Structure formats: structure tokens, C-alpha cells
């Protein structure tokens, strides 16, 4: 009788442990899988690589790519679809329809969104910004150029709206924004005026001002004045600016992975990627008599600062 009781207790204990293990296993598995649809105007190698990387990252979901021309109107797509737009034509197509599935927009800058949306917000669209956050760029300047206080900023009609935000972020850092409108990119007088009043130039991601046509004039002028240019993006650093923050494909995949784990109702209306990197140009640093940017160390310090309350 005693042996029988002990066996019964042992069996119950074993069943209980197995039940707990099963609950733990089930809680670790997503309760649902999602249909994730990516689209762009062109089916390029880069687009396919991104789609495949996302599919590998989310094996429990169905991840597909369909060219924009092959899609129906957004309202005719299943409401349960998670739609990811990879270019501006995709956004223009999505904005034509107030209905449709929840949508994440990649590779869009603040300026591009301002031109298309203004101050309005589409209730089903979340914008994931491609340009570096202004606050992060200012903290980068404070870290690598601690003596700089006057931050020169060229702006145009399209990018003027960013100045208010720049000033808000600059004040707590003890920095002063020195703005200069540049309406005629063939006239260097605005540049020279700004250089005389600034310690460093911060480039905004405004393609009217920072493009292959203006790059030579901007960079040669900054060298001549021994005035560093920070930003506006990683591509311009390769062309000859000093440094910039940026987010690469791995950073964007991490953002998407986190968002897609949550219901679309919880998606933010707009978002900068939490993860980022620093790129510096050692040759430019030497030309300006500056210390080479330690990309890894600076990125770590900036990230730590953003995590603090």
C-alpha cells in the first residue's frame, strides 16, 4: 500500500513537471504567424537580399516580395497582411487609399515625409526614418569635437522646418545653432558667411543642398576654412565629410523584428532605429588636424547616453 502511494505521488509529480514544461514551451512559441508582404517599384538584388534576410530572421512567418505594379489597391489586400514599403513610389501608392493593411515604411527621410504628408498622419502607416536623428548627430559632435559650440547649419525651403527641433536638442548640450539659408547652390557667399560664424558644420539630409553637384564645393570650402563637416549621412562621409551616425541593414532588421512581434495597433507612428553605428573618415581627420574618430567607442558611448533617462 505504501509503495502504491509513493508510485502515485511520483506519477503525479512527473505529470506536473511535464505540464509545466509544456506550458513553458508553448509560451516560447508565437501564438500566431504573420503574412508579411514587402513591395517596391523595382525588384533589385538589394531588395531580394533584404527580403531573404527578413525571412531568415522570422521563419515562423510567411515573408514574400511582390513588385508594386503587380499589387492591387491597398484596400484589396487582406487586412491581416503586414505591409512593408521599401521605396517612395510604394508610399505614394499607399497614400492613395485610406484603407488597407497596417504598413511600415522604410527608407524615408523626414524631409520626404514632410513633402508628402506635411503635419498629417495616416492612421495605418508607420514611418521608419532613414536619415540620422538630429539629436544623435548633435551628440556625435559634442563627443568628437568637444570644443565646438557654434553649429553651422545650411538649410533650404524644404528643410527649414527642422531648425526648431535642432535648437531644442542643441540647448541642453550647450550648443548654439547658427542657421544659414542657401537658395542658390551656385553662389558660395552663403557658405563663406556661415563658415565665419561657425565652429563646425552639421549637414542636414536635404538632397537639394547635399548632392554630387554641391559636394566638391562644400568639401573644398570646409577644408580651406579648416571647418569640419559632420553628416549628413554615411555616403557623404565617404565623399569627404568627417563623420556621421547611420543604421545599416542589420539595424533595420532588428527594428522590424521587434515591431512585427507586436500588434500593429501598438506600432508607433514614426521611429528612428535604436541600433546604429558611426562612420568616420580618417583622411579627413588628418587633413583637418583632428584625432581619428574611434567608431566603435563613440557609438557605444552615444548608445549608453540614449539609454539613460
Amino acid at each position: 500500500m505504501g509503495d502504491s502511494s509513493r508510485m502515485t505521488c511520483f506519477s503525479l509529480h512527473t505529470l506536473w513537471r511535464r505540464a509545466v514544461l509544456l506550458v513553458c514551451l508553448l509560451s516560447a512559441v508565437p501564438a500566431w504567424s504573420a503574412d508579411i508582404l514587402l513591395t517596391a517599384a523595382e525588384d533589385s538584388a538589394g531588395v531580394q537580399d533584404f527580403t531573404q534576410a527578413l525571412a531568415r530572421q522570422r521563419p515562423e512567418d510567411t515573408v514574400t516580395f511582390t513588385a508594386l505594379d503587380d499589387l492591387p489597391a491597398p484596400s484589396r489586400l487582406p487586412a491581416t497582411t503586414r505591409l512593408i514599403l521599401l521605396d517612395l513610389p510604394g508610399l505614394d501608392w499607399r497614400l492613395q487609399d485610406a484603407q488597407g493593411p497596417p504598413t511600415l515604411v522604410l527608407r524615408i527621410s523626414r524631409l520626404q515625409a514632410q513633402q508628402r504628408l506635411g503635419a498629417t498622419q495616416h492612421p495605418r502607416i508607420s514611418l521608419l526614418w532613414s536619415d540620422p536623428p538630429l539629436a544623435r548627430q548633435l551628440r556625435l559632435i559634442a563627443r568628437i569635437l568637444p570644443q565646438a559650440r557654434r553649429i553651422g547649419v545650411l538649410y533650404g525651403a524644404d528643410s527649414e522646418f527642422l531648425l526648431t527641433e535642432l535648437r531644442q536638442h542643441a540647448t541642453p548640450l550647450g550648443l548654439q545653432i547658427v542657421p544659414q539659408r542657401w537658395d542658390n547652390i551656385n553662389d558660395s557667399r552663403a557658405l563663406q558667411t556661415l563658415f565665419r560664424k561657425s565652429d563646425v558644420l552639421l549637414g542636414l539630409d536635404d538632397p537639394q543642398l547635399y548632392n554630387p553637384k554641391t559636394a566638391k564645393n562644400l568639401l573644398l570650402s570646409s577644408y580651406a576654412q579648416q571647418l569640419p563637416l559632420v553628416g549628413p549621412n554615411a555616403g557623404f562621409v565617404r565623399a569627404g565629410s568627417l563623420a556621421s551616425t547611420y543604421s545599416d541593414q542589420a539595424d533595420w532588421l532588428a527594428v522590424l523584428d521587434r515591431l512585427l512581434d507586436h500588434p500593429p495597433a501598438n506600432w508607433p507612428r514614426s521611429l528612428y532605429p535604436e541600433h546604429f553605428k558611426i562612420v568616420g573618415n580618417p583622411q579627413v581627420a588628418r587633413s583637418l588636424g583632428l584625432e581619428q574618430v574611434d567608431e566603435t567607442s563613440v557609438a557605444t558611448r552615444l548608445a549608453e547616453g540614449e539609454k539613460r533617462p
Side-chain angles (χ1 to χ4, degrees):
M1 187 71 178
D3 289 343
S4 175
S5 271
R6 284 194 296 271
M7 287 297 295
T8 300
C9 290
F10 176 78
S11 298
L12 289 174
H13 182 67
T14 301
L15 287 173
W16 180 82
R17 286 196 304 170
R18 289 176 178 174
V20 170
L21 178 60
L22 179 60
V23 169
C24 291
L25 289 174
L26 289 175
S27 65
V29 176
W32 49 268
S33 62
D35 290 323
I36 301 171
L37 174 61
L38 293 87
T39 189
E42 295 185 6
D43 185 3
S44 66
V47 165
Q48 284 301 318
D49 180 65
F50 189 85
T51 302
Q52 292 165 11
L54 183 60
R56 289 192 299 269
Q57 188 164 281
R58 300 189 65 81
E60 72 279 6
D61 295 334
T62 301
V63 180
T64 57
F65 172 86
T66 301
L68 189 60
D69 288 343
D70 296 330
L71 287 178
S75 58
R76 293 176 57 194
L77 292 172
T80 55
T81 299
R82 305 294 185 258
L83 184 61
I84 300 176
L85 309 180
L86 300 178
D87 58 14
L88 290 176
L91 176 59
D92 293 334
W93 162 81
R94 182 66 183 86
L95 289 174
Q96 295 174 9
D97 200 331
Q99 300 304 311
T103 304
L104 295 167
V105 183
L106 289 178
R107 302 178 184 178
I108 182 169
S109 70
R110 296 279 302 281
L111 190 147
Q112 291 166 336
Q114 176 74 11
Q115 292 170 334
R116 285 163 172 78
L117 295 167
T120 63
Q121 290 185 333
H122 192 292
R124 298 175 185 266
I125 291 179
S126 296
L127 304 170
L128 308 184
W129 303 124
S130 62
D131 48 330
L134 299 178
R136 188 175 290 164
Q137 294 287 77
L138 287 171
R139 287 195 296 271
L140 173 62
I141 289 175
R143 173 65 58 177
I144 65 175
L145 299 167
Q147 304 305 317
R149 287 291 176 267
R150 300 173 301 168
I151 315 300
V153 178
L154 290 168
Y155 71 93
D158 293 335
S159 51
E160 185 175 5
F161 75 100
L162 294 172
L163 293 179
T164 299
E165 181 180 335
L166 262 177
R167 293 188 179 99
Q168 291 173 348
H169 292 309
T171 300
L173 297 173
L175 303 176
Q176 175 192 359
I177 300 300
V178 182
Q180 177 67 51
R181 186 160 177 141
W182 196 22
D183 290 320
N184 183 0
I185 60 173
N186 297 311
D187 187 344
S188 296
R189 285 178 295 180
L191 287 180
Q192 302 308 320
T193 298
L194 183 61
F195 287 164
R196 288 194 296 269
K197 299 186 293 183
S198 307
D199 301 319
V200 60
L201 187 64
L202 172 61
L204 300 178
D205 196 1
D206 183 343
Q208 293 297 319
L209 305 182
Y210 293 90
N211 56 60
K213 185 177 179 180
T214 63
K216 183 177 180 180
N217 186 19
L218 280 165
L219 296 170
L220 288 178
S221 297
S222 71
Y223 294 155
Q225 298 290 330
Q226 289 290 286
L227 192 79
L229 168 62
V230 171
N233 50 51
F236 226 86
V237 175
R238 290 189 288 271
S241 69
L242 177 62
S244 184
T245 66
Y246 75 100
S247 295
D248 61 13
Q249 176 168 297
D251 299 324
W252 282 113
L253 287 170
V255 172
L256 286 177
D257 195 37
R258 178 166 58 84
L259 291 177
L260 291 168
D261 277 341
H262 292 83
N266 295 340
W267 292 353
R269 295 277 63 83
S270 64
L271 181 69
Y272 278 111
E274 176 185 353
H275 302 288
F276 63 93
K277 298 173 177 64
I278 304 292
V279 59
N281 191 318
Q283 183 177 351
V284 171
R286 287 194 298 269
S287 299
L288 296 174
L290 299 171
E291 184 178 346
Q292 181 177 331
V293 176
D294 186 332
E295 299 170 351
T296 301
S297 174
V298 172
T300 299
R301 293 295 184 87
L302 292 185
E304 290 173 349
E306 291 185 4
K307 291 176 182 176
R308 298 191 192 106

